[in-house]
DNA sequence: CACGTAGTACGATAAAAGTCGTACATAGGG
DNA sequence: CCCTATGTACGACTTTTATCGTACTACGTG
């Protein structure tokens, strides 16, 4: 089955550890990635799904930061732009990193 | 053998993942931690040891950020303030994170 | 076609972070 | 005592990041 082309993103070997750390150092983006990992492994989600109480322009900004750091992959489905975590790529490059995100205890 | 008291630092269970990510998202601080891990596991080092071409005030700032995030522990030895990575604490809280720092390939 | 929706680029603003010079405190040695 | 060295707090400046409103584009539906 053909998927739409992903939006521009770094190649696997271009993903920089400090860029990934920077992307995940914001609490909102950390929560986005955690939610993607824990609650939606099988399929993508558009921006609206996350239920964050933020203007769309703010969420657009954060999704772009995650994509440009190489943490997420985004594809356009008609009106919707869906994201999921580049789990295989990140596990190849930084094994265990995503486990830290899912197991970190929140207040 | 008595060591000097560490400078103020967060308790193990107060260390926040996003604070650690933020501390390690700066290339200079990432390099400081990597160097501490790879080249000096057995003993502490003062600021001068790292050989960074930066003013002392800049290095003081970065060492403080690392300590306040809970990544490093600093102790005062006479004139010198020596740092090492809180390896046991970080491995307990975020297993595998420090491995990512040491194995990350640099340009 | 019109309309509603998703999502964006742009720009403005505010906040945060990084850089570094300066003057200072402290420690240690002679 | 003086001198040197380590390292800092403070403040100023620059850069980066976060927030969000606005106007817009593109898509899907009727």
């Amino acid at each position: 089955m053909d998927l739409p082309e992903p939006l521009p993103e770094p190649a696997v070997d271009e993903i920089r550890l400090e860029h990934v750390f920077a992307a995940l150092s914001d609490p909102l983006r950390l929560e986005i990635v955690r939610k993607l990992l824990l609650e939606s492994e099988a399929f993508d989600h558009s921006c609206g799904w996350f239920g964050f109480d933020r203007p769309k322009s703010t969420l657009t900004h954060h999704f772009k930061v995650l994509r440009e750091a190489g943490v997420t992959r985004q594809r356009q489905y008609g009106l919707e732009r869906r994201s999921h975590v580049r789990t295989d790529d990140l596990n190849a490059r930084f094994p265990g990193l995503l486990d830290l995100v899912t197991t970190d205890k929140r207040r």
Side-chain angles (χ1 to χ4, degrees), chain A:
Chain A
M1 187 238 312
D2 280 354
L3 295 168
E5 275 301 297
L7 272 64
E9 63 184 30
V12 177
D13 58 3
E14 286 171 353
I15 301 178
R16 302 291 304 270
L17 183 59
E18 64 265 35
H19 294 168
V20 173
F21 282 157
L24 296 176
S25 67
D26 180 85
L28 179 62
R29 291 197 294 271
L30 190 59
E31 187 63 19
I32 288 173
V33 174
R34 176 178 298 114
K35 230 174 173 180
L36 283 173
L37 288 168
L38 291 177
E39 304 183 24
S40 59
E41 274 197 18
F43 48 95
D44 303 317
H45 286 285
S46 63
C47 293
W49 170 79
F50 293 86
F52 294 113
D53 186 18
R54 296 298 184 101
K56 291 187 295 171
S57 47
T58 301
L59 297 180
T60 294
H61 160 74
H62 284 293
F63 279 96
K64 183 177 184 181
V65 171
L66 286 170
R67 171 168 54 86
E68 289 181 348
V71 175
T72 54
R73 173 166 292 147
Q74 283 181 293
R75 291 189 168 92
Q76 195 77 33
Y77 293 82
L79 270 174
E80 289 183 350
R81 187 171 287 187
R82 297 177 185 169
S83 303
H84 66 274
V85 178
R86 294 174 65 176
T87 306
D88 293 345
D89 295 340
L90 291 176
N91 282 339
R93 286 293 313 277
F94 313 117
L97 174 66
L98 296 179
D99 295 328
L100 300 180
V101 174
T102 57
T103 58
D104 183 46
K105 296 299 175 288
R106 312 298 296 155
R107 299 254 185 296

